[in-house]
Amino acid sequence: MKKLNRRNFIKGSLAGGLAAAATCNAKDAKAAGGDFGGYPDSMGVLVDLTKCVGCRTCEAACNKEQGLPEPDKPFDDFSVFDERREGGLPRRTTEKAYTVVNRYEVEGRAHPLFRKVQCNHCNEPACLTSCFVNAYTKTPEGAVIYNPKVCVGCRTCMIACPFYVPAYSYSSAINPVVKKCIMCYDTRLKFGRPPACVEACPQGVMTFGKRKDMIALAHEKINAKPGKYVGHVYGETEVGGTSWMYLSDVPFAEIGFDTHLGKEPIISHVKDFLAIVPMVLCIWPALFTGFHLLATRKQTNKENSTKA
Amino acid sequence: MLGKIASHYFAGKSRLLHEKSLYERLAFSFILKRREKMGLKTGKLIGLAALIAMTAPLALPQKASCEVFELNSLANLFEGVSFDHDMHIEAVSDNCSVCHHHSAGTPPTDATCIPCHLKSAETDSAACNACHVNEPFSSASLEASASNPLLHHKVKPGLKAAYHQNCLGCHQETGGPVGCQDCHALTEKGEKYYNTGQFAPKPGKSSSHH
Ligand code: SF4
Ligand code: SF4
Ligand code: SF4
């Protein structure tokens, strides 16, 4: 099966425009940006937030599966739920943790609500469409993966992602690269196995299957127990749909979900911006050097300042 | 991975109480052989690959009584869990359906089961793993449920999830143990997995950039 990469997106979105003519064969231009809607048989995960007990096993599982560095605190240390970033925000994903669980105290709810955060694997990923160097791929299985060898660490995707997912590794000062959840593509998804966090979760918070089946299941669950869930499946339509979707008994806006993203993929907003991409490709070597220098200098500055 | 080692659940006549260590971390089939070798009368043996099979069929109260099961399906990262079946039967006032839904011959209590199963007979096995599989999301499991148009329970929790939803849900309501390690003491492997105990990160070694 053909993989959907940024190039297809450009083809689709510019519909035979300059970019398409310059970069590809017209016959490949199938995936129309804006209404692509995802691969029909792609896999998905339905996260039932009512079931999560905040045990952090998914975090430990991800750490081991992805070979991530030692965490700052043990995975059975629940004081992480009290950690706050700037602006009083709870934890976000980092280059050392592709998934984090956060706690929300909800008035009137018997227990706090716990919410696991990771890449949502958008049908039409803003990280992918925004990447100048074509580092990202949306696989037919649904995962949004990236090629660290191509990434120049420019951080455009970090800004483009509506869910604040991509983080950067600074372990190599010369080549900072993007780091994020890949839906366990390399080790599991591509072999038809569920992600490590899904399998490890003791509560069965996450259900893995074809995305379309997950959508049907979500609505079945909502209808089966009227009043239990809020009547919305987060991710079914947001930004063109995501592979990871959520059910909740608390309005999504109250537990840190952005409910103003709309149904349009982010790509639709950046079409004009994308028109300059082919040009960017032409001047690519120069840009590459530029980004590289910038990234390196920034890191060197950082190191100098920490040394001082 | 979690859930790889099959556990067991005996609804037979023999007592596991004094055989606990023998059975620790043994796969089900192995146990079966061993029991035969030991000349034990197998009785009604029900294989169950995991943690908490709350109550026994009401029809067999004598058979299931006085038993403490060693639930070992997660006995890789965790020590086995000793489960006092008797005590739980008492806790639910002999209403097997609280945990066994409609499979133990008592009328179901869950409103979603009632329309079809109000008068269902006891099933061949009331063991949790007779319905809740170890790997609910394997290609084989997904394929099996997709290719069976008559299957009503298309998505049911895997064994581990079934245990935890059942046990923890009730424990939260009734004041039973709810902390992970209240039931699951970590093995050395488990401590490594959770980066805790002897494998806890050394303070001040943080390398994060925030
Ligand atoms: S959630 Fe962010 S990083 Fe993940 S696919 Fe969507 S845009 Fe990309
Ligand atoms: S899908 Fe894999 S990479 Fe993503 S959070 Fe889960 S374990 Fe980590
Ligand atoms: S492993 Fe499951 S129950 Fe535990 S924190 Fe993660 S999602 Fe929640």
Side-chain angles (χ1 to χ4, degrees):
Chain A
M1 234 189 298
K2 200 175 177 312
K3 286 184 179 179
L4 180 73
N5 51 30
R6 202 190 95 260
R7 192 184 250 214
N8 295 39
F9 272 110
I10 297 168
K11 287 172 205 167
S13 61
L14 297 182
L18 179 70
T23 60
C24 60
N25 302 322
K27 69 172 160 44
D28 285 341
K30 275 192 300 233
D35 55 3
F36 166 60
Y39 290 98
D41 274 340
S42 73
M43 305 306 280
V45 175
L46 180 65
V47 186
D48 186 339
L49 295 171
T50 66
K51 292 198 160 76
C52 180
V53 293
C55 70
R56 302 187 64 211
T57 300
C58 49
E59 290 187 44
C62 181
N63 176 278
K64 301 298 166 301
E65 182 76 19
Q66 297 300 329
L68 296 175
E70 183 182 63
D72 295 343
K73 290 180 184 168
F75 287 112
D76 61 350
D77 182 341
F78 300 127
S79 69
V80 293
F81 297 138
D82 299 321
E83 285 175 13
R84 286 293 173 272
R85 297 181 277 136
E86 262 169 72
L89 293 165
R91 298 188 301 156
R92 58 155 289 175
T93 51
T94 70
E95 78 278 12
K96 288 170 67 181
Y98 296 171
T99 184
V100 293
V101 179
N102 287 320
R103 184 187 61 205
Y104 293 85
E105 302 290 348
V106 183
E107 227 177 288
R109 199 175 186 269
H111 307 281
L113 183 139
F114 294 95
R115 175 189 161 200
K116 176 187 184 294
V117 184
Q118 76 298 304
C119 170
N120 284 325
H121 300 276
C122 305
N123 287 344
E124 296 174 66
C127 54
L128 181 154
T129 52
S130 70
C131 177
F132 291 98
V133 299
N134 208 5
Y136 283 93
T137 306
K138 171 85 175 170
T139 77
E141 297 88 348
V144 176
I145 57 172
Y146 54 91
N147 182 349
K149 290 204 184 95
V150 177
C151 171
V152 291
C154 73
R155 272 174 262 198
T156 308
C157 55
M158 193 171 173
I159 294 155
C161 171
F163 304 109
Y164 305 95
V165 166
Y168 283 82
S169 156
Y170 300 97
S171 48
S172 158
I174 307 157
N175 190 20
V177 293
V178 60
K179 293 267 184 179
K180 75 163 191 77
C181 157
I182 53 168
M183 209 166 162
C184 292
Y185 181 76
D186 293 352
T187 50
R188 293 168 154 265
L189 193 68
K190 77 171 170 200
F191 304 113
R193 294 173 61 216
C197 53
V198 171
E199 198 169 271
C201 173
Q203 279 287 102
V205 167
M206 295 157 274
T207 307
F208 172 80
K210 283 200 177 133
R211 182 177 186 268
K212 57 174 191 250
D213 294 341
M214 294 302 101
I215 294 171
L217 173 68
H219 288 287
E220 233 171 73
K221 284 178 111 175
I222 290 173
N223 293 335
K225 300 220 164 120
K228 177 172 180 187
Y229 298 101
V230 296
H232 180 65
V233 184
Y234 193 97
E236 181 180 356
T237 55
E238 275 78 7
V239 293
T242 56
S243 289
W244 286 58
M245 295 167 290
Y246 304 82
L247 282 178
S248 171
D249 58 341
V250 174
F252 286 102
E254 285 176 34
I255 47 173
F257 284 87
D258 188 340
T259 49
H260 300 289
L261 291 174
K263 300 183 178 187
E264 287 291 300
I266 303 292
I267 183 175
S268 304
H269 307 307
V270 292
K271 267 181 188 163
D272 294 342
F273 162 79
L274 277 180
I276 66 163
V277 169
M279 183 194 75
V280 169
L281 289 177
C282 299
I283 57 166
W284 155 232
L287 262 182
F288 180 86
T289 321
F291 282 135
H292 222 111
L293 281 175
L294 267 176
T296 318
R297 199 180 55 185
K298 221 170 170 176
Q299 180 58 24
T300 320
N301 286 346
K302 196 167 176 167
E303 279 178 351
N304 289 343
S305 62
T306 39
K307 265 182 221 144
Chain B
M1 253 348 279
L2 295 170
K4 276 283 158 62
I5 300 176
S7 182
H8 55 283
Y9 165 45
F10 293 99
K13 287 190 186 94
S14 66
R15 306 282 183 266
L16 284 176
L17 212 45
H18 309 294
E19 300 166 359
K20 201 170 131 181
S21 59
L22 259 183
Y23 292 102
E24 266 176 16
R25 299 169 204 221
L26 296 179
F28 174 61
S29 58
F30 184 34
I31 293 161
L32 197 87
K33 272 191 213 119
R34 187 157 197 156
R35 283 170 64 92
E36 278 160 3
K37 248 194 248 159
M38 287 159 60
L40 292 173
K41 192 145 190 338
T42 309
K44 188 177 177 186
L45 184 71
I46 301 174
L48 185 154
L51 269 179
I52 285 168
M54 288 274 200
T55 46
L58 193 61
L60 312 160
Q62 314 93 307
K63 280 188 185 176
S65 63
C66 297
E67 282 178 309
V68 173
F69 306 121
E70 185 72 20
L71 304 169
N72 285 348
S73 68
L74 303 179
N76 183 22
L77 303 177
F78 310 97
E79 304 289 351
V81 176
S82 154
F83 176 72
D84 188 336
H85 197 203
D86 255 10
M87 189 272 277
H88 285 89
I89 296 175
E90 227 181 284
V92 297
S93 317
D94 289 351
N95 186 355
C96 309
S97 308
V98 172
C99 306
H100 289 282
H101 319 299
H102 58 81
S103 62
T106 50
T109 49
D110 189 331
T112 40
C113 311
I114 290 173
C116 302
H117 292 293
L118 187 59
K119 294 196 172 124
S120 288
E122 188 188 335
T123 51
D124 287 348
S125 166
C128 304
N129 75 340
C131 298
H132 298 281
V133 300
N134 247 334
E135 298 198 327
F137 307 125
S138 66
S139 316
S141 295
L142 294 182
E143 188 60 48
S145 81
S147 60
N148 182 354
L150 297 177
L151 187 64
H152 174 64
H153 299 291
K154 279 238 186 278
V155 182
K156 50 180 182 285
L159 190 57
K160 182 170 53 181
Y163 279 141
H164 283 97
Q165 287 179 22
N166 222 348
C167 303
L168 199 52
C170 200
H171 282 196
Q172 281 174 338
E173 283 168 26
T174 58
V178 293
C180 306
Q181 288 163 34
D182 294 348
C183 293
H184 305 283
L186 291 170
T187 60
E188 188 179 328
K189 241 177 142 178
E191 289 196 345
K192 204 167 181 180
Y193 189 81
Y194 285 91
N195 291 81
T196 191
Q198 54 177 314
F199 299 100
K202 305 278 171 292
K205 230 195 91 199
S206 165
S207 56
S208 65
H209 295 257
H210 291 295

